[in-house]
Amino acid sequence: MTVNDDSFTNWKNREEIAESMIPIIGKLHRERDVTVLVHSRSLVNKSVVSILKTHRFARQIAGEELSVTETLPFLQALTTLDLGPSQIDIGMLAATYKCDDRGLSVEAFTAEAVAGATGANKIECREGRDVVLYGFGRIGRLVARLLIEKSGSGNGLRLRAIVVRGGGDQDIVKRASLLRRDSIHGQFQGTITVDEATDTILANGNEIKVIYANDPSEIDYTAYGIKNAILIDNTGKWRDRAGLSEHLRPGIDKVVLTAPGKGDVPNIVHGVNHDTIKPDEQILSCASCTTNAIVPPLKAMDDEYGVLRGHVETVHSFTNDQNLLDNYHKADRRGRSAPLNMVITETGAASAVAKALPDLKAPITGSSIRVPVPDVSIAILSLRLGRETTREEVLDYLRNVSLTSPLKRQIDFTTAPDAVSSDFIGSRHASIVDAGATKVDGDNAILYLWYDNEFGYSCQVIRVVQHVSGVEYPTYPAPLA
């Protein structure tokens, strides 16, 4: 047998193992609300090839490929435990097991590592929390996809309704079609049917009422059986507390804005300051996509090196706020054709840093250029550090942050030499550190941070909603502090 034959046989063996993992992962998710991860990447509803690719990606951040032969025993060990709702990273289990010198069996080590999710310690499945989407544009539809994907056992977040303005004949059919097909993010993973008579979309078994209204004051959500719901405002029409409070109608308990909040509205970047949300807070903002991209790595760098000052330059994909062809726009330059020009514009991300990181005293400035790509942006973060360092030290530190720290769901890391923007479409992280582009000279560091300004941001929104709803389940093994 040739070497190539050996490689092919090895691949087929790994395919078989990955195939055997799928029903285990699905059953854990469906029956126990357990999400199986590999280095913060979910394996739920993934194909055989996707599972293998997720394992292979570990080489980008951990330095070596992770094999399904290494993780399968830990997955099998999970099936023997009395697990409650949780997220369990079998990639981290395999990695930490390698470093453990106590001679424990896989079963014993796994039981110890996830003890907080088992037996008397486990969280009991809660009654599902209703969610309403107000607006159904780019972010609204991606948030809807994520809510449907994460419905799991039915005990988490439940998308109950979407509020839009009436758009004429076949309005609901057209909106369902936009949910089903997306030019950037591809096909919806599942089935969608429409009942025009009752204004209902049925997506993967989730019954979603489409409510037509021109203003929040027109709606009594309890009339639709909705109670104690979290409303996600995707319109950006109201940004201050007074405006957003108009959503606090019967049936709505909290309002989450998918844009920077104004005045005293808390701007939340999950992973950084979500634990500061007061239990009785009813109005909050998830800040902007760019704020979510820069704040986690900025915090990580400040924690380790101290940051004296910084500047962020964002090269941002164009958005629906711009014009396809030259036409009037109330903002400077944004009236010029988005697909044909680079457009200098402002960003509020730098000033928003102070709200998310109040302990950071360093002045941060920022500017932005919109460019002719439909999705994925890059933030170039130039920092003056509190001490001198080296490029190797910074990269090792950020790689470890992406693997083991509490920010590992926000910060990703790539060493791919040919990485370009389209490679990061669908990334679930707030930002991805590009190792090859990183520059360090003494106390100056320049980080290049890719981010899917649509999907990655939507994932951050969902994490905030999960946190305030009480269905943000703990992750095991626990991230290192």
Side-chain angles (χ1 to χ4, degrees):
M1 182 176 284
T2 66
V3 172
N4 287 338
D5 288 335
D6 286 341
S7 297
F8 184 71
T9 299
N10 178 264
W11 170 261
K12 300 304 288 185
N13 288 338
R14 286 187 291 151
E15 275 190 323
E16 184 178 3
I17 293 171
E19 193 172 67
S20 72
M21 298 171 82
I22 292 174
I24 302 174
I25 294 166
K27 189 173 183 179
L28 285 170
H29 185 62
R30 185 177 61 256
E31 296 183 358
R32 306 191 192 182
D33 247 358
V34 173
T35 300
V36 178
L37 313 170
V38 167
H39 289 311
S40 299
R41 289 165 168 77
S42 173
L43 297 184
V44 175
N45 293 328
K46 294 296 189 291
S47 67
V48 167
V49 171
S50 293
I51 289 173
L52 293 174
K53 286 181 69 176
T54 303
H55 279 72
R56 180 166 171 74
F57 187 82
R59 79 192 192 286
Q60 296 278 8
I61 48 181
E64 59 183 358
E65 187 171 343
L66 180 66
S67 173
V68 287
T69 60
E70 297 176 76
T71 58
L72 178 62
F74 295 94
L75 182 61
Q76 292 171 328
L78 294 178
T79 65
T80 67
L81 302 173
D82 180 24
L83 290 169
S86 56
Q87 298 188 104
I88 299 179
D89 195 321
I90 57 175
M92 286 301 298
L93 281 173
T96 52
Y97 182 68
K98 283 182 180 179
C99 301
D100 191 271
D101 58 2
R102 293 176 294 165
L104 297 176
S105 67
V106 166
E107 292 76 14
F109 180 84
T110 302
E112 179 184 272
V114 303
T118 61
N121 297 323
K122 70 180 182 181
I123 298 171
E124 294 301 326
C125 289
R126 301 182 176 95
E127 182 182 352
R129 186 73 175 267
D130 291 350
V131 178
V132 173
L133 296 180
Y134 198 97
F136 204 48
R138 296 299 304 159
I139 299 302
R141 291 194 295 274
L142 291 177
V143 168
R145 285 188 174 200
L146 286 164
L147 287 168
I148 294 163
E149 171 195 303
K150 294 179 181 297
S151 56
S153 65
N155 295 307
L157 301 174
R158 302 182 303 189
L159 177 56
R160 296 292 309 280
I162 297 163
V163 183
V164 294
R165 292 182 178 180
D169 292 343
Q170 290 198 310
D171 180 90
I172 191 171
V173 173
K174 292 177 180 179
R175 293 186 189 277
S177 182
L178 287 169
L179 178 62
R180 184 183 290 114
R181 304 176 184 88
D182 191 281
S183 300
I184 296 169
H185 301 284
Q187 295 280 337
F188 174 80
Q189 297 301 303
T191 63
I192 294 175
T193 57
V194 175
D195 186 339
E196 291 185 80
T198 61
D199 292 330
T200 302
I201 295 173
L202 191 66
N204 290 1
N206 294 267
E207 191 173 298
I208 307 162
K209 184 72 175 179
V210 177
I211 301 171
Y212 293 98
N214 294 315
D215 188 82
S217 63
E218 299 177 10
I219 311 167
D220 178 350
Y221 293 95
T222 60
Y224 302 95
I226 295 168
K227 59 181 182 179
N228 195 35
I230 299 172
L231 183 144
I232 305 173
D233 184 328
N234 307 290
T235 67
K237 182 177 179 180
W238 303 277
R239 304 263 298 275
D240 60 10
R241 186 174 295 276
L244 291 168
S245 294
E246 295 296 316
H247 288 303
L248 293 173
R249 305 285 299 156
I252 302 300
D253 179 56
K254 295 181 185 294
V255 179
V256 175
L257 171 66
T258 62
K262 294 182 177 180
D264 67 342
V265 174
N267 280 249
I268 303 301
V269 174
H270 191 275
V272 174
N273 68 336
H274 67 276
D275 56 353
T276 66
I277 301 173
K278 297 176 182 177
D280 60 350
E281 179 61 76
Q282 289 188 289
I283 307 289
L284 55 93
S285 155
C286 290
S288 70
C289 56
T290 301
T291 303
N292 276 265
I294 65 173
V295 165
L298 185 56
K299 180 183 188 308
M301 293 297 287
D302 187 51
D303 287 347
E304 179 66 18
Y305 301 102
V307 172
L308 303 182
R309 66 172 178 267
H311 176 80
V312 61
E313 189 78 33
T314 69
V315 182
H316 199 290
S317 59
F318 63 78
T319 69
N320 273 331
D321 179 62
Q322 297 171 256
N323 292 331
L324 287 174
L325 295 172
D326 289 2
N327 205 353
Y328 172 80
H329 194 293
K330 64 180 180 180
D332 294 343
R333 306 183 201 251
R334 290 197 188 191
R336 302 299 299 277
S337 172
L340 299 178
N341 294 290
M342 294 189 292
V343 179
I344 298 174
T345 187
E346 73 283 347
T347 176
S351 58
V353 167
K355 281 194 170 185
L357 281 176
D359 293 337
L360 180 70
K361 304 305 179 186
I364 306 292
T365 57
S367 53
S368 180
I369 303 173
R370 298 286 180 92
V371 295
V373 295
D375 187 31
V376 179
S377 305
I378 190 167
I380 305 167
L381 187 59
S382 180
L383 302 174
R384 174 75 181 277
L385 304 177
R387 66 176 175 87
E388 292 193 353
T389 182
T390 65
R391 181 174 181 271
E392 291 72 21
E393 182 187 344
V394 169
L395 290 179
D396 283 345
Y397 169 65
L398 291 175
R399 181 188 292 109
N400 288 330
V401 167
S402 75
L403 277 170
T404 62
S405 82
L407 290 171
K408 66 180 183 178
R409 296 173 73 194
Q410 282 70 43
I411 299 176
D412 202 1
F413 189 92
T414 182
T415 58
D418 295 321
V420 293
S421 60
S422 62
D423 296 332
F424 305 104
I425 293 174
S427 169
R428 294 179 180 239
H429 288 78
S431 61
I432 305 100
V433 176
D434 191 316
T438 300
K439 294 174 173 57
V440 179
D441 181 11
D443 60 356
N444 290 297
I446 303 176
L447 307 182
Y448 287 73
L449 307 167
W450 298 102
Y451 58 108
D452 185 329
N453 48 278
E454 292 186 336
F455 196 73
Y457 175 68
S458 296
C459 290
Q460 283 287 90
V461 171
I462 289 294
R463 290 170 189 139
V464 171
V465 174
Q466 287 176 318
H467 178 74
V468 299
S469 68
V471 296
E472 184 182 33
Y473 300 137
T475 301
Y476 299 95
L480 299 177

